[in-house]
Amino acid sequence: MNNNIVNETIKNQLNHRSIRRFKDKAVEPKVIKTLLDVANQTSSSVAMQGYSIIRITDSDLKKEISDICMQKHVSVAPEVWIFVVDAYRNAKIAASKDVYTDYSNSMDRFFQGFSDALLSAQNVMVALESMGLGGVFLGSILNDSQKLIDLLDLPEYTFPALGLEFGYPDENPDIKPRMELELKVFENKYKREEDYGKAIEKYDDIMRDYYENREDNFRLESFSSHVVNMLSRVIEPRVKILNTIRKQGFEFALEYIPENEIKRMYKNLPKEVDEEVFDVSRLGFKSSSSVKEMFEKYPFVKDYLLMINPRFNVLKTITASSDFEKVTLELLAEMGDMPMESLIYMIESRIDEE
Ligand SMILES: Cc1cc2nc3c(=O)[nH]c(=O)nc-3n(C[C@H](O)[C@H](O)[C@H](O)COP(=O)(O)O)c2cc1C
């Protein structure tokens, strides 16, 4: 077939098919626990773990969710999990330290939570398939996101990202072919096709064959006609999705934010983080530590500081002067108009990432 490297993980991944019909068999608690541990160990944007999982065990609730999805199989799937963007928990954690910021509900936070939720869901899919189970993602939970939010009693700063139903497969569909890699993998820069109709012809033929030969065939279409159908389809409540996200308290600030306004926003960063006061930090920094020595040891920290706070632009000139020897972390925090403990914490997190 080809020269791919083969191991158990890759074999399972290349064998992926969405499964929508399941045996009437419960998924064992040990399996559930394993999958939750896999979800939990997934990479997470800036380690904030800005997502949660809601496992739907109530059959009436499953039925209501299946109505939102407009997919009957959801109501009888052994397991239905909803992966939720969750910036509420971290906002509450900060509030418990008397810290309230404008950034707990920003667009950035939303997308961090969204990617965390999706990665965790995919990790679960890979794991469950490796154990002989099968499942399908449910983007259709967003057909009426407000209704789902009400059903799940989701608080502010949360939003449902993706559903996943799974169980023991009671169907064995063919693997659905994907388009040629050349159409979606590029080197260094984006490659535009001159004629997309022509470029997709080969894949269109492959998909027509696939649908013709499929056992429970109810579609007979090429990929292009599938794209046209999907792009022409509008589900009314989905159009309002951004309104619902805003209603959940996320502030997308979709209007252009002038540069000076961004600088003003930085000034409002919280100043007090009472509990975190220390003499020597985890990596051995003190208020009297030399910034020059820190930059020599961790050269990337300077770029990081320039990126996170425009006030640190002063470093561009000061690092070249002889006065730089005297700059301590305490002084640096003053330059950035931020609490020293927060500054050290952020620097250490950046060092951890390297
Ligand atoms: C983000 C996402 C959302 C999806 N939502 C649904 C859904 O709501 N209902 C459904 O039946 N399949 C859903 N799917 C499954 C896709 O239809 C499926 O992955 C695609 O047709 C390719 O088929 P395969 O997974 O069998 O290879 C979703 C997949 C993804 C990645």
Side-chain angles (χ1 to χ4, degrees):
M1 192 176 83
N2 61 36
N3 287 328
N4 278 339
I5 290 168
V6 177
N7 62 27
E8 281 308 304
T9 309
I10 290 169
K11 218 170 14 182
N12 278 317
Q13 287 173 306
L14 291 178
N15 196 36
H16 161 78
R17 280 96 29 101
S18 289
I19 298 295
R20 299 176 178 83
R21 206 178 302 149
F22 306 97
K23 293 204 168 95
D24 186 14
K25 175 182 172 190
V27 180
E28 302 83 340
K30 197 171 171 181
V31 174
I32 302 287
K33 172 67 171 50
T34 307
L35 293 174
L36 289 173
D37 282 341
V38 166
N40 202 15
Q41 201 54 38
T42 302
S43 296
S44 161
S45 181
V46 289
M48 289 278 275
Q49 304 172 57
Y51 73 100
S52 291
I53 299 170
I54 302 187
R55 185 175 165 226
I56 310 299
T57 53
D58 180 309
S59 50
D60 292 339
L61 186 53
K62 251 186 219 174
K63 167 79 179 64
E64 297 208 65
I65 293 173
S66 90
D67 288 345
I68 293 175
C69 295
M70 299 188 268
Q71 293 189 286
K72 275 212 181 86
H73 49 83
V74 180
S75 65
V76 289
E79 289 293 323
V80 176
W81 294 8
I82 311 292
F83 292 77
V84 175
V85 177
D86 189 349
Y88 174 81
R89 182 173 48 240
N90 286 339
K92 286 287 174 193
I93 291 171
S96 75
K97 313 281 178 212
D98 285 332
V99 172
Y100 302 87
T101 83
D102 287 343
Y103 311 107
S104 51
N105 58 338
S106 62
M107 182 193 256
D108 197 17
R109 234 25 107 208
F110 178 86
F111 282 113
Q112 282 177 345
F114 208 86
S115 42
D116 276 7
L118 263 45
L119 291 177
S120 152
Q122 173 63 21
N123 232 5
V124 170
M125 179 69 105
V126 171
L128 70 86
E129 287 177 337
S130 78
M131 292 188 277
L133 290 97
V136 64
F137 292 119
L138 299 169
S140 50
I141 56 165
L142 294 179
N143 286 350
D144 191 343
S145 46
Q146 185 60 60
K147 183 149 187 228
L148 187 62
I149 286 165
D150 295 341
L151 285 173
L152 303 182
D153 194 20
L154 294 185
E156 58 180 349
Y157 308 165
T158 62
F159 190 77
L162 188 64
L164 170 64
E165 63 171 37
F166 63 92
Y168 288 95
D170 196 23
E171 61 176 343
N172 188 16
D174 289 337
I175 292 175
K176 194 185 269 186
R178 301 298 200 251
M179 70 177 67
E180 305 92 292
L181 286 176
E182 297 80 68
L183 284 175
K184 53 176 162 179
V185 181
F186 315 124
E187 194 168 337
N188 297 324
K189 59 180 185 178
Y190 196 90
K191 179 168 165 270
R192 291 161 177 80
E193 295 292 332
E194 267 177 29
D195 181 342
Y196 280 90
K198 202 161 176 42
I200 206 68
E201 267 175 8
K202 197 166 142 206
Y203 184 52
D204 271 347
D205 287 344
I206 292 173
M207 286 311 283
R208 247 185 245 105
D209 279 355
Y210 167 79
Y211 284 123
E212 263 171 20
N213 295 327
R214 216 165 71 156
E215 237 176 61
D216 57 348
N217 183 19
F218 58 94
R219 283 193 298 197
L220 245 181
E221 59 183 339
S222 63
F223 180 71
S224 327
S225 54
H226 175 61
V227 169
V228 170
N229 282 341
M230 286 297 123
L231 294 187
S232 317
R233 195 175 73 157
V234 179
I235 295 174
E236 201 234 317
R238 285 187 85 115
V239 181
K240 296 186 287 198
I241 197 163
L242 194 55
N243 290 357
T244 315
I245 294 172
R246 287 187 75 151
K247 237 170 122 184
Q248 284 301 96
F250 286 100
E251 190 42 75
F252 270 22
L254 283 174
E255 64 279 8
Y256 177 77
I257 309 175
E259 289 284 315
N260 57 356
E261 178 66 8
I262 292 176
K263 286 179 187 153
R264 193 190 63 72
M265 286 160 74
Y266 269 108
K267 269 195 190 155
N268 292 340
L269 275 172
K271 303 267 188 307
E272 302 298 330
V273 186
D274 295 341
E275 274 187 48
E276 299 292 328
V277 179
F278 45 76
D279 292 333
V280 182
S281 76
R282 187 166 53 85
L283 295 183
F285 294 122
K286 296 185 217 160
S287 57
S288 59
S289 295
S290 152
V291 173
K292 185 165 184 256
E293 279 173 23
M294 178 182 68
F295 282 0
E296 278 164 7
K297 193 161 178 203
Y298 308 108
F300 48 87
V301 169
K302 183 177 162 193
D303 283 342
Y304 172 66
L305 294 174
L306 290 173
M307 190 184 72
I308 60 165
N309 185 341
R311 285 179 154 262
F312 287 131
N313 276 338
V314 65
L315 286 171
K316 285 183 187 162
T317 46
I318 215 168
T319 44
S321 85
S322 55
D323 283 344
F324 188 44
E325 303 254 318
K326 296 179 213 146
V327 177
T328 60
L329 276 175
E330 190 172 19
L331 251 169
L332 183 69
E334 262 177 49
M335 286 175 198
D337 195 21
M338 54 198 300
M340 192 190 62
E341 292 76 16
S342 306
L343 177 65
I344 292 179
Y345 178 78
M346 288 163 80
I347 290 172
E348 292 191 332
S349 302
R350 178 67 189 88
I351 292 171
D352 287 345
E353 279 173 8
E354 242 348 81

